Amino acid sequence: MKAILSLITIFFLLSVGKITAQEALAMTSPSDTKTAKSNAPTLPIFEFRASSADIDLNSVSKDMIGEHAFGQSVSEKLYLLESKYTYAVPIVPGNPQTRTMIRKPAIYDAVRKIEKHLKKSVKKGEISAETASSDFNKVLDVAFNVLTAETEGFEKAIAETNDVNSLTNLFTKRVKLVF
């Protein structure tokens, strides 16, 4: 009886040792050390097809645009933004009054918020005028190229963004324009 009990104990200890060894091997597997797990969620990157706006920019004369704090190029792009994103609709047929409608208002309003924020930041001396100008140029390029694209996810990301700095980063760093 003692011999049988000792054999059962030895089998039990050997099987437990084998299972423990397999678990230890699985925990120290090199495949786990290669993948670093981070707790921060990865933010989506939005990719849109892009085209050059040079033809549209060449059609804008200096008489059509005004002065802008970020330069001539930004002034031309703002004029194009206004002409592409807004249109007039008659209030009542036969009445000369019109109502201004905005295509993709979430994107248009976000661009206006970013412009206002960048102007204030430059005025306070928080960022340089050159940095603000290049950031706003990128924002305007994104706005032109997403006008005709499917932007539900992008507009949702804009709506979820509370901070203007995050909104600027969304337009400048999380949008990839493919030419």
Side-chain angles (χ1 to χ4, degrees):
M1 182 75 166
K2 286 184 179 182
I4 295 174
L5 186 58
S6 61
L7 283 175
I8 292 174
T9 306
I10 291 173
F11 268 136
F12 177 72
L13 291 176
L14 286 175
S15 63
V16 169
K18 186 176 181 182
I19 292 171
T20 306
Q22 287 177 351
E23 288 178 0
L25 180 64
M27 289 183 154
T28 61
S29 175
S31 64
D32 287 344
T33 58
K34 290 180 183 175
T35 58
K37 295 181 180 177
S38 113
N39 292 337
T42 58
L43 298 174
I45 302 292
F46 299 98
E47 189 172 301
F48 298 105
R49 298 189 113 209
S51 61
S52 178
D54 291 338
I55 296 170
D56 292 333
L57 288 173
N58 290 337
S59 68
V60 177
S61 69
K62 291 184 180 185
D63 298 334
M64 297 177 175
I65 59 174
E67 294 290 322
H68 197 275
F70 298 145
Q72 181 75 21
S73 174
V74 171
S75 181
E76 292 171 353
K77 288 181 180 182
L78 275 174
Y79 176 80
L80 285 177
L81 178 84
E82 197 70 33
S83 66
K84 289 185 181 232
Y85 270 84
T86 60
Y87 60 97
V89 175
I91 295 176
V92 179
N95 190 346
Q97 293 180 334
T98 59
R99 173 183 300 147
T100 302
M101 301 298 288
I102 300 172
R103 294 177 182 93
K104 300 195 181 197
I107 296 171
Y108 181 81
D109 292 340
V111 170
R112 288 301 185 177
K113 281 182 190 176
I114 291 170
E115 177 190 17
K116 187 176 179 180
H117 173 71
L118 289 175
K119 280 183 177 179
K120 283 183 181 180
S121 296
V122 168
K123 192 172 185 179
K124 290 180 182 178
E126 295 172 353
I127 59 173
S128 68
E130 294 81 24
T131 305
S133 177
S134 68
D135 284 350
F136 196 55
N137 264 319
K138 171 74 173 166
V139 168
L140 289 171
D141 288 340
V142 169
F144 291 138
N145 288 300
V146 301
L147 180 62
T148 58
E150 183 62 39
T151 57
E152 278 184 38
F154 184 58
E155 289 179 30
K156 185 177 177 184
I158 290 171
E160 292 172 353
T161 306
N162 299 331
D163 184 23
V164 181
N165 287 327
S166 300
L167 198 60
T168 306
N169 286 336
L170 172 67
F171 273 85
T172 57
K173 294 183 175 58
R174 291 179 42 203
V175 173
K176 182 180 178 185
L177 297 176
V178 180
F179 288 93

